[in-house]
Amino acid sequence: MRDTRLVQSLRESVLESIKGRGTVSDDELLALIDSELSLKTKKEHISLSDRIYLRKSMFNSFRRLDLLQELVDDRSVSEIMVNGPGDIFIEKNGRTVKWNKSFESGEQLENIIQQIVSRINRSVNTGSPIVDARLEDGSRVHVVLPPIALDGPIMTIRKFPEPITIEKLIELKSLEKETAEFLRLLVESGYNIFISGGTNSGKSTFLNALSAFIPPSERVITIEDSAELQIRHIPNLVRLETRNANSEGEGEISMSDLIKASLRMNPSRIIVGEVRGREAVDMLSAMNTGHSGSLSTGHSNSSRDMLSRLETMVLMGVDMPVTAIRNQIASALDILIHLGRLEDGSRRVLEISEIGGYENGEIEIRELFKFDAGERRLKKCGQLKNREKLRLRGKYRAL
């Protein structure tokens, strides 16, 4: 007997009890829910299992994510896709399926969305219908409201329940132990590394895993649109997050603003969550002005495509000759790691390349590791040419 009328009636009763009370603690809210449930049971029979369900769902609707809390708590669910109040899809164990539950109304879904964005001091409305936010556990939330979304509010939640380590990636066969050791030496030695890949290829996860190789004695500044990185071994860590403009179009803090600000904070390294536009100018400038060991990610279909996209991003910010842009990219980046998803849904490192100089109108890319589709593993296919940073850190012999 978990019909929508009973749920709505109970919710209205609890809301009426809360009015005029000011701040209500979790314990007080549960007591109010129990009181209303007791009144309901006097009028109609409610089984113990239904009573437990209603108590939990009522609390979740006021304090947590209502209907979606069940999915958020399920560790096997990696992504939640809400296509309006009537359609919810989930990604579970690498496969996308439609969930058998839905929201009672668009208003219920909108209430959850406002609850999420308000917690991190952001706003979303018809005037500004797109926003990125996050949950308390670090999960990333993307929202699009009507009139941009034609079928009701759209919300996508990408979960990050636990940081995935390099050891876990090796276990999942995303890369081999030999490759992981090679990357450890590069990160420790201060090579500038850029991670590319398509949508949902694991760029942020891989960036977080690589960051574990950064020596704990260094000062690290992370810059993200929505804070996702979970770096726990660096005591001297500064975390920065962008801010959208308010309804008057004021108060925006962009990725470029934060990169520029970070240069005045005496960083050893700068980690930029993902570059999508003109902030690429500032990121490359930082890498070219002594902040070796910096890390970042970007969306692309291949390593070569990533370099082309970086050119386009730089042109969005400054008017420079293409030759100058390519020279700057070649000078800033040392290593490019490209990720992808195979037909079975698994995420793999497909290529690790060294960025050489700029010659004959092109940036040189030297493949070091390449994914072998036949053997289904990453195989070494080249030698690192630029070993100067290894020598400076005394790690040349270890390679």
Side-chain angles (χ1 to χ4, degrees):
M1 192 181 62
R2 300 175 186 180
D3 60 82
T4 56
R5 288 176 299 173
L6 177 59
V7 173
Q8 186 61 30
S9 173
L10 183 59
R11 181 176 174 80
E12 290 174 357
S13 298
V14 174
L15 277 171
E16 190 65 32
S17 299
I18 290 174
K19 283 183 180 179
R21 286 177 173 264
T23 303
V24 177
S25 69
D26 289 352
D27 289 339
E28 289 173 329
L29 176 60
L30 285 170
L32 288 172
I33 293 171
D34 288 338
S35 176
E36 294 300 330
L37 272 172
S38 295
L39 292 175
K40 295 289 181 187
T41 54
K42 290 179 180 179
K43 297 177 181 178
E44 54 185 309
H45 174 71
I46 300 177
S47 68
L48 178 61
S49 61
D50 282 341
R51 182 166 179 157
I52 293 172
Y53 167 82
L54 287 168
R55 186 178 194 265
K56 183 178 180 180
S57 64
M58 280 297 103
F59 181 79
N60 285 342
S61 71
F62 284 101
R63 285 291 190 264
R64 305 180 79 189
L65 297 185
D66 203 340
L67 181 72
L68 300 181
Q69 192 61 46
E70 177 184 340
L71 297 176
V72 172
D73 292 338
D74 187 344
R75 293 189 176 185
S76 65
V77 174
S78 56
E79 191 139 1
I80 305 166
M81 295 155 278
V82 182
N83 302 343
D87 290 313
I88 302 174
F89 290 82
I90 60 173
E91 184 182 84
K92 192 169 185 175
N93 301 321
R95 298 190 178 278
T96 300
V97 296
K98 187 173 182 179
W99 199 36
N100 60 0
K101 297 181 182 180
S102 61
F103 289 98
E104 298 164 23
S105 64
E107 182 184 2
Q108 185 185 8
L109 174 54
E110 288 179 15
N111 287 339
I112 294 175
I113 290 171
Q114 295 301 333
Q115 182 180 322
I116 291 171
V117 299
S118 64
R119 287 175 182 172
I120 58 170
N121 297 318
R122 295 197 175 187
S123 61
V124 62
N125 48 52
T126 54
S128 180
I130 301 175
V131 71
D132 287 308
R134 69 178 185 277
L135 303 182
E136 293 176 356
D137 67 356
S139 297
R140 182 168 64 197
V141 181
H142 182 72
V143 172
V144 183
L145 293 184
I148 304 301
L150 302 180
D151 299 317
I154 305 300
M155 179 166 61
T156 309
I157 302 176
R158 180 168 297 177
K159 293 169 60 180
F160 299 93
E162 294 178 4
I164 296 181
T165 63
I166 284 288
E167 290 75 20
K168 182 65 174 178
L169 291 176
I170 294 172
E171 182 183 328
L172 294 171
K173 298 183 179 180
S174 292
L175 76 167
E176 281 65 38
K177 191 173 183 180
E178 172 196 16
T179 314
E181 178 61 17
F182 174 74
L183 292 176
R184 180 184 68 80
L185 290 172
L186 296 185
V187 173
E188 288 180 349
S189 301
Y191 283 75
N192 290 330
I193 299 175
F194 199 94
I195 302 166
S196 68
T199 301
N200 203 17
S201 59
K203 298 184 295 295
S204 297
T205 298
F206 202 85
L207 176 63
N208 201 85
L210 274 190
S211 67
F213 293 144
I214 298 174
S217 59
E218 297 189 9
R219 175 172 170 82
V220 177
I221 298 179
T222 65
I223 299 168
E224 302 173 85
D225 272 332
S226 184
E228 299 171 4
L229 294 173
Q230 301 180 56
I231 302 174
R232 298 172 177 173
H233 72 292
I234 305 288
N236 198 351
L237 176 68
V238 177
R239 302 169 70 230
L240 303 177
E241 185 179 67
T242 61
R243 185 177 70 190
N244 294 336
N246 58 25
S247 56
E248 287 77 36
E250 301 174 344
E252 179 184 11
I253 305 296
S254 68
M255 193 81 83
S256 289
D257 295 330
L258 295 179
I259 295 173
K260 291 173 184 175
S262 71
L263 299 179
R264 303 183 183 95
M265 300 180 187
N266 191 31
S268 302
R269 304 180 190 231
I270 299 171
I271 300 178
V272 182
E274 182 173 352
V275 290
R276 300 186 181 93
R278 63 188 64 191
E279 66 271 8
V281 179
D282 304 291
M283 181 203 71
L284 293 172
S285 178
M287 289 181 171
N288 274 320
T289 52
H291 298 91
S292 61
S294 294
L295 306 168
S296 187
T297 74
H299 188 283
S300 77
N301 297 318
S302 67
S303 297
R304 179 62 68 180
D305 180 48
M306 189 68 250
L307 297 181
S308 297
R309 289 177 66 86
L310 281 172
E311 289 178 26
T312 304
M313 292 177 199
V314 172
L315 286 170
M316 291 169 65
V318 295
D319 184 13
M320 289 175 62
V322 172
T323 54
I325 295 173
R326 290 178 179 175
N327 264 311
Q328 190 174 16
I329 293 172
S331 177
L333 302 183
D334 297 313
I335 300 292
L336 186 55
I337 303 171
H338 186 69
L339 311 178
R341 296 190 72 173
L342 303 185
E343 64 281 353
D344 62 358
S346 61
R347 298 170 176 86
R348 300 291 183 98
V349 178
L350 300 181
E351 184 182 319
I352 300 176
S353 303
E354 180 180 13
I355 304 300
Y358 174 63
E359 295 181 6
N360 302 318
E362 294 289 339
I363 299 172
E364 182 185 7
I365 299 181
R366 295 188 288 268
E367 289 185 351
L368 303 176
F369 292 84
K370 185 80 173 178
F371 182 75
D372 187 310
E375 297 185 21
R376 297 183 69 83
R377 70 183 188 91
L378 200 63
K379 295 178 67 175
K380 189 173 183 179
C381 59
Q383 292 287 337
L384 185 70
K385 187 174 180 180
N386 177 15
R387 302 193 173 199
E388 187 58 32
K389 292 181 180 179
L390 289 171
R391 292 189 182 94
L392 291 174
R393 296 286 183 118
K395 299 183 183 295
Y396 181 70
R397 292 179 180 273
L399 186 61

